[in-house]
Amino acid sequence: MRYPFAIVLVASLAGTMAFAQTSTTTTITTDQQSKVRTYVMKEHPASVKVTETVGVGTALPSSVTLHTLPSDVGVTQYRFAVVNDKTVLVEPSTRKVIQIIE
């Protein structure tokens, strides 16, 4: 009789571990953040005003233009935008914010 409970427990734990692996937060190094800040200050793209809350995990509206970063910054898999006067790194295929650069 103990085995069905053990099977359910193991299955539950396996599902929890799989969820934890897929919900990780992406961060970039302090050096990469500094390079992004420097690049954005040099290029000075216009800030886009968005009324929705913008935070890590939220998708940007299609009206927000995503900009590429040069290869020397080291995070070319992401795009950036300046939204409500904050620089945000974005996963381009989903448009989700992965990090806000302070």
Side-chain angles (χ1 to χ4, degrees):
M1 283 293 181
R2 290 188 210 177
Y3 293 113
F5 175 76
I7 292 170
V8 170
L9 179 62
V10 170
S12 296
L13 289 175
T16 303
M17 288 187 296
F19 176 75
Q21 290 174 349
T22 60
S23 63
T24 59
T25 302
T26 304
T27 57
I28 61 171
T29 67
T30 304
D31 183 53
Q32 290 168 324
Q33 288 181 42
S34 178
K35 288 178 180 180
V36 169
R37 269 193 298 278
T38 300
Y39 180 76
V40 172
M41 286 182 356
K42 182 181 90 173
E43 294 299 313
H44 199 60
S47 179
V48 177
K49 297 295 178 201
V50 174
T51 57
E52 298 90 358
T53 300
V54 175
V56 173
T58 62
L60 294 179
S62 59
S63 60
V64 176
T65 301
L66 303 181
H67 306 279
T68 59
L69 291 160
S71 60
D72 63 329
V73 172
V75 289
T76 56
Q77 71 271 34
Y78 302 119
R79 303 294 179 264
F80 81 93
V82 180
V83 180
N84 300 337
D85 298 318
K86 293 185 179 183
T87 301
V88 295
L89 280 183
V90 179
E91 204 292 312
S93 65
T94 62
R95 301 186 64 83
K96 286 187 179 179
V97 175
I98 60 111
Q99 190 164 2
I100 298 173
I101 306 293
E102 300 291 337

